[in-house]
Amino acid sequence: MKAAGMTARRQNLVSCHNCHLLCDAPVPVEKQVACCPRCGSTLHSRKPNSLMRTWALVFAAVILYLPANLLPITITSAIGVTQTDTIISGVIYFLHSGMVPIALVIFIASVFVPLMKLLILIYLLISVQRRSRRRLVDRTRLYRLTELVGRWSMVDVYVVTILVALVKLGAVARVDAGPATPYFAGVVIITMFAAESFDPRLIWDVMEDDE
Amino acid sequence: MSLSELIACHECDLLTRLPELPPGGCAHCPRCGCLLQRDRPNSIEKTLALSFAGLVLFIAAVSFPFLAMKAGGFEQHSNLLTGVWLLLEQKMVLLAMVVLLTCVLFPLAGILGLLYVLLPLHFGRRLPRAEVVFRLVSHLQPWSMMEVFMLGILVSLVKLGHLAEVIPGISLWAFAVLIFVLAAQAAVLDPHQVWERLEALR
Ligand SMILES: [Zn+2]
Ligand SMILES: [Zn+2]
């Protein structure tokens, strides 16, 4: 009983996504959306087209992930010497100069987190589509994690913008944003949207079909 | 049993009866462990106080330079807005928009939106469209990233250290405090309570 439980959907109830008010499930009327009586959000039992949308966004992010990591993210000119850096070469540079904590921050935020997030979302999508009954709680936790950490990937975008804005010291030094920057910002923003469009309730829906 | 005693977990859809919460206590979903509700005493008043503090700090953080850098007789200051302006001048419209939205406009809209909803609510009133504003505030919250920007400033500080002399600006301190204030604000805000009070005043 505890594992299966009674869900709102089974009781013909809908919980508002925004204010969590429990309402009677709206009777579907053509070309009309039901709105939450308290906050006005559109009511739906599950996020509409959650799987398709998330897949599309994950694919888009995977495609952008390549140029984001392969193209240079900064172009530094100092005292006549021009140097281009990708995210990874930046990390390696920090490692060589002994700034291990900074190297770790950039590596985790810019390389590891976006990749993990995409892999986790792909795993969640596939496991939901295969109607897996295993590790429901762990998978919900994984989802919560992707929602929580995604924003920190933005740090490299900010570092680039700060460098560009700040290093304008005439002939001495300047930093320009490399072609990877918009791709990288795209990866972060699109994966955030992807995590938002995934509905964790789909993980648990398989329990209802048992009975 | 009436519907108001029940709550559906927003991560697994399980229907649960909400227990009477002890002061400061919280209820978790028995099935997936997601936080259902936390008792936050004086939530509205605390959030209001933190929002006012946040507004003052925000103005300071945005208008003063956060870093200054000196090299070869040149000196360059930058605050958030001039930084965005410099990006625009270099035709990086997309990046400028991302920074402007996530570090200036969304956080500001979040603070002002909360004040718009909560200040009248404290006096038992509601302004027109308060529920639309409050809904927007909760949608914008994940997109306001000042704490990430702060980390960006710290990384840049270290990164620039070998190029030139870098001087942390006043706004860096305002930034640092603001991040704690915003985190505290998110922790004391009880959306459930706000929705109930808004509904009662309709
Ligand atoms: Zn609602
Ligand atoms: Zn749950």
Side-chain angles (χ1 to χ4, degrees):
Chain A
M1 180 60 210
K2 197 192 157 206
M6 189 50 86
T7 65
R9 188 168 71 169
R10 271 204 135 183
Q11 288 289 352
N12 231 1
L13 296 168
V14 176
S15 165
C16 170
H17 285 283
N18 194 268
C19 73
H20 302 154
L21 180 74
L22 211 51
C23 320
D24 288 315
V27 187
V29 182
E30 223 177 309
K31 282 183 185 149
Q32 227 176 317
V33 282
C35 291
C36 169
R38 184 156 77 176
C39 74
S41 309
T42 351
L43 281 180
H44 22 65
S45 179
R46 300 289 179 268
K47 292 177 190 169
N49 293 323
S50 171
L51 292 179
M52 282 282 276
R53 253 196 209 173
T54 315
W55 268 122
L57 290 166
V58 165
F59 268 124
V62 168
I63 290 166
L64 293 182
Y65 188 81
L66 293 175
N69 279 284
L70 297 175
L71 295 175
I73 193 144
T74 52
I75 302 159
T76 318
S77 350
I79 327 158
V81 186
T82 307
Q83 187 192 345
T84 58
D85 271 307
T86 61
I87 292 175
I88 287 288
S89 76
V91 171
I92 293 171
Y93 168 79
F94 277 127
L95 275 180
H96 280 309
S97 4
M99 293 183 268
V100 181
I102 297 284
L104 268 181
V105 167
I106 297 290
F107 179 75
I108 291 174
S110 312
V111 183
F112 182 72
V113 166
L115 193 62
M116 272 324 284
K117 218 179 141 174
L118 288 172
L119 290 178
I120 289 176
L121 282 173
I122 291 172
Y123 165 65
L124 290 177
L125 285 165
I126 291 175
S127 67
V128 164
Q129 280 175 334
R130 298 189 64 190
R131 319 196 57 74
S132 160
R133 285 185 181 77
R134 295 173 53 202
R135 299 177 155 268
L136 297 162
V137 177
D138 289 338
R139 279 194 279 145
T140 315
R141 284 199 190 123
L142 273 181
Y143 172 70
R144 234 172 270 155
L145 190 72
T146 62
E147 263 195 319
L148 217 71
V149 298
R151 51 201 281 105
W152 290 96
S153 300
M154 223 38 184
V155 70
D156 224 19
V157 175
Y158 294 144
V159 171
V160 173
T161 58
I162 292 167
L163 294 184
V164 170
L166 210 59
V167 189
K168 283 277 156 292
L169 298 166
V172 184
R174 66 177 276 131
V175 175
D176 289 296
T181 325
Y183 293 110
F184 184 73
V187 171
V188 180
I189 292 168
I190 292 174
T191 44
M192 279 179 74
F193 275 119
E196 208 180 85
S197 60
F198 182 79
D199 195 333
R201 281 167 284 210
L202 298 175
I203 299 173
W204 295 87
D205 278 349
V206 68
M207 300 302 288
E208 277 178 51
D209 309 335
D210 279 0
E211 293 137 53
Chain B
M1 207 187 312
S2 85
L3 278 188
S4 58
E5 286 169 60
L6 288 170
I7 189 167
C9 170
H10 44 271
E11 283 185 359
C12 75
D13 212 29
L14 184 80
L15 275 178
T16 337
R17 229 193 140 127
L18 263 185
E20 195 68 44
L21 289 177
C26 49
H28 290 269
C29 170
R31 188 161 78 161
C32 76
C34 152
L35 179 72
L36 293 176
Q37 205 169 38
R38 187 193 292 277
D39 176 63
R40 297 173 171 101
N42 302 323
S43 163
I44 287 172
E45 286 67 29
K46 282 182 191 162
T47 314
L48 263 178
L50 288 167
S51 299
F52 276 118
L55 189 60
V56 175
L57 288 165
F58 177 85
I59 293 167
V62 171
S63 42
F64 291 107
F66 56 79
L67 283 183
M69 132 169 220
K70 269 186 198 166
F74 289 93
E75 201 176 318
Q76 173 92 37
H77 295 271
S78 190
N79 70 30
L80 249 173
L81 292 176
T82 55
V84 171
W85 184 245
L86 271 171
L87 289 174
L88 277 178
E89 273 184 343
Q90 294 172 57
K91 305 269 177 296
M92 285 181 279
V93 183
L94 184 92
L95 275 187
M97 290 317 288
V98 167
V99 176
L100 185 68
L101 288 175
T102 55
C103 297
V104 183
L105 294 183
F106 289 167
L108 181 64
I111 296 173
L112 291 179
L114 277 181
L115 287 174
Y116 181 88
V117 177
L118 297 184
L119 192 61
L121 213 56
H122 172 67
F123 296 107
R125 287 163 203 281
R126 56 177 280 166
L127 291 176
R129 305 202 153 262
E131 69 286 337
V132 180
V133 173
F134 193 60
R135 208 171 78 206
L136 265 176
V137 168
S138 69
H139 279 305
L140 286 183
Q141 220 227 344
W143 297 97
S144 114
M145 307 197 197
M146 284 197 122
E147 75 280 21
V148 185
F149 190 78
M150 175 85 196
L151 181 64
I153 296 178
L154 295 180
V155 172
S156 315
L157 249 169
V158 181
K159 206 164 182 170
L160 288 173
H162 70 285
L163 259 182
E165 191 188 341
V166 191
I167 309 138
I170 318 168
S171 113
L172 205 55
W173 307 113
F175 243 109
V177 185
L178 176 61
I179 281 146
F180 283 103
V181 169
L182 288 180
Q185 184 199 57
V188 296
L189 176 65
D190 183 355
H192 189 77
Q193 215 184 98
V194 175
W195 283 120
E196 280 188 338
R197 302 256 300 251
L198 279 176
E199 196 180 27
L201 286 168
R202 196 184 286 268

